[in-house]
Amino acid sequence: MTRNLDAEVERQLEVMREGAVDFYGEDVLREKLRQRLGAGRPLRVKLGMDPSSPDLHLGHTVVLQKLRRFQELGHTPIFLIGDFTAMIGDPSGRKKTRPALDREQVRENARTYVEQVSRVLDASTAEVRFNSEWMDAMKSAEMVRLCSRYTVARLLERDDFAKRYKAGDPISVHELIYPFVQAFDSVALEADVELGGTDQTFNLLMAREIQRDYGQSSQAVITHPLLVGTDGVDKMSKSLGNTIGITENPVDVYGKVMSISDALMLTYFATLRSGEWEDMNASRERIAAGGGDPLAFKRELASRIVARYHGPDAAREAAERFRRVVQEKAAPEDLEEVELEAGDGGDRGLLELLDALSLVGSRGEARRLIGQQAVHVDGQLVSDPSFRLGRGAYLLRVGKRRYARVRIR
């Protein structure tokens, strides 16, 4: 019995290590895990995210998928929505103070989180919590007590704070409070394990100390790499416009994956696989060695990412549409024709048409895309932003995937 228990402990620890950058407190967790498995009690595994924007993207799923692995091992996943901390603003990795959000903005952003997370976790056995539950109830004296457990000098050891302090950039007092609140979340939830990206290391380790101060055993901390955005430069971030959202249209998800470089493709595979896609390993190794078929591999990766969050039927439809629209440059078959009235001169300007048909975000963007030779009318490249279209029917294309049919009357 003991031998079987020890083997199960090591098996589970191996799953926990998979894809991780650092694993703090592994030896203590090994013994705790052994005791919990013997007693039939699950670990409490915490992952917190602030609803600073309404959409989760593939970067978020790196740790969400690991939380799912813990759930599959029989442990209790806790997805913590940081509605209170979002009003402070996470300073991690920031070069300047993040604007604080008001409660209404946070509530609106958090509204869709539960549905999005349920695409990864089994919601029936997961805890979904909001840290306003305990932080709204915390009295000022308790907050002072919490903040007394760390020194300013220790806080300034944080890489982002240290760089800003050295450069003379302002650090707001409320930013210094953020790590305390995140740490207290682990106390309130009695977390045994906390997951996070490498940019959260300071906060996660601080929670270990705060838990000890409150008489709890310290949580283990498992950090994971940050996913690079579709630009191949910065980490995936909504503010940088380089994200792939898990609730985006499956066609757009597929197309965005197909647009990344071959080198980034291999990084996405390694970072997002989460114990799956073993059958793609041989192909990955051939491509990494300079051989294989990178395009076929990328198609398969795009299909599997879409299938993970939208289902296999959506993945097949997205692949087929990408083949027709992008590779064969055929317009979507279900494209409806929009009718617009001609102007006083019997025509319409291309800039206003692109804007009116929502093919661009603004006329300024339309002008820029025309300059980048990204706009076609009836298959012909248009490079003049003053181009006008008379009465008749037209097929407009912006970039590789944005189409519209219009009839000017």
Side-chain angles (χ1 to χ4, degrees), residues 33 71 74 76 90 93 108 118-119 130 143 178 187 210 239-240 271 282 351 356 361 372 385 399 407:
L33 179 60
Q71 186 175 37
T76 302
D90 186 1
E108 180 61 27
S118 66
R119 297 188 182 212
F130 294 80
M143 176 62 79
Y178 187 97
V187 174
I210 297 295
S239 62
L240 297 175
T271 309
L351 292 178
Q372 294 175 350
R407 180 176 295 277

Side-chain angles (χ1 to χ4, degrees), residues 91 146-165 171-181 183 202-203 206 209-210:
L146 173 61
C147 292
S148 70
R149 298 174 182 277
Y150 234 66
T151 66
V152 172
R154 288 290 306 278
L155 288 173
L156 291 178
E157 290 175 6
R158 270 182 65 143
D159 188 54
D160 39 20
F161 283 157
K163 287 178 179 177
R164 286 163 63 183
Y165 185 75
I171 301 172
S172 177
V173 173
H174 78 279
E175 293 181 273
L176 301 178
I177 297 175
Y178 187 97
F180 290 99
V181 178
F202 182 95
N203 294 345
M206 183 173 171
E209 296 188 37
I210 297 295

Side-chain angles (χ1 to χ4, degrees), residues 17 29 63 77 107 130 158 179 201 237 249 308 323 352 371:
R17 292 187 203 103
L29 184 64
V63 281
R107 186 179 292 113
F130 294 80
R158 270 182 65 143
T201 300
S237 168
N249 185 294
R308 178 178 274 177
R323 181 188 64 77
E352 63 167 317

Side-chain angles (χ1 to χ4, degrees), residues 22-192:
D22 288 303
F23 193 156
Y24 300 93
E26 180 179 347
D27 289 341
V28 174
L29 184 64
R30 175 182 281 104
E31 183 55 34
K32 181 184 287 188
L33 179 60
R34 192 176 189 282
Q35 293 173 0
R36 294 291 183 84
L37 290 176
R41 293 175 53 213
L43 296 172
R44 294 179 57 77
V45 188
K46 168 194 171 194
L47 170 61
M49 291 184 185
D50 290 352
S52 51
S53 68
D55 303 310
L56 297 177
H57 53 65
L58 290 186
H60 294 120
T61 70
V62 176
V63 281
L64 265 174
Q65 290 290 150
K66 176 54 77 69
L67 188 60
R68 180 183 63 82
R69 301 295 301 282
F70 273 91
Q71 186 175 37
E72 291 171 345
L73 292 173
H75 302 298
T76 302
I78 307 169
F79 182 74
L80 176 66
I81 298 175
D83 57 336
F84 187 92
T85 38
M87 293 188 292
I88 301 174
D90 186 1
S92 301
R94 304 288 293 188
K95 297 179 181 177
K96 58 183 180 180
T97 302
R98 183 194 296 272
L101 301 178
D102 61 39
R103 191 175 291 274
E104 188 56 40
Q105 287 175 296
V106 171
R107 186 179 292 113
E108 180 61 27
N109 289 347
R111 185 175 58 83
T112 61
Y113 267 35
V114 175
E115 186 279 327
Q116 294 177 72
V117 168
S118 66
R119 297 188 182 212
V120 181
L121 301 176
D122 178 358
S124 66
T125 61
E127 283 188 27
V128 178
R129 306 287 293 274
F130 294 80
N131 61 3
S132 61
E133 291 177 33
W134 44 88
M135 293 311 303
D136 281 348
M138 180 176 281
K139 296 179 180 179
S140 56
E142 294 172 320
M143 176 62 79
V144 171
R145 177 186 172 219
L146 173 61
C147 292
S148 70
R149 298 174 182 277
Y150 234 66
T151 66
V152 172
R154 288 290 306 278
L155 288 173
L156 291 178
E157 290 175 6
R158 270 182 65 143
D159 188 54
D160 39 20
F161 283 157
K163 287 178 179 177
R164 286 163 63 183
Y165 185 75
K166 186 176 181 180
D169 295 329
I171 301 172
S172 177
V173 173
H174 78 279
E175 293 181 273
L176 301 178
I177 297 175
Y178 187 97
F180 290 99
V181 178
Q182 182 172 332
F184 189 77
D185 291 343
S186 292
V187 174
L189 293 169
E190 299 183 346
D192 297 306

Side-chain angles (χ1 to χ4, degrees), residues 382-400:
V382 178
S383 55
D384 180 3
S386 63
F387 186 81
R388 302 187 70 82
L389 290 80
R391 289 186 173 90
Y394 302 92
L395 175 66
L396 307 183
R397 176 165 66 88
V398 176
K400 294 181 178 180

Side-chain angles (χ1 to χ4, degrees), residues 237-250:
S237 168
K238 189 82 171 180
S239 62
L240 297 175
N242 62 0
T243 64
I244 301 176
I246 66 173
T247 57
E248 279 190 60
N249 185 294

Side-chain angles (χ1 to χ4, degrees), residues 180-246:
F180 290 99
V181 178
Q182 182 172 332
F184 189 77
D185 291 343
S186 292
V187 174
L189 293 169
E190 299 183 346
D192 297 306
V193 182
E194 183 165 14
L195 308 177
T198 52
D199 59 339
Q200 293 291 318
T201 300
F202 182 95
N203 294 345
L204 304 181
L205 294 181
M206 183 173 171
R208 285 168 54 83
E209 296 188 37
I210 297 295
Q211 281 183 305
R212 283 198 296 270
D213 288 341
Y214 278 82
Q216 294 183 6
S217 62
S218 295
Q219 64 185 17
V221 166
I222 306 176
T223 62
H224 292 78
L226 304 178
L227 189 68
V228 177
T230 53
D231 56 5
V233 178
D234 296 301
K235 78 171 185 177
M236 190 170 283
S237 168
K238 189 82 171 180
S239 62
L240 297 175
N242 62 0
T243 64
I244 301 176
I246 66 173

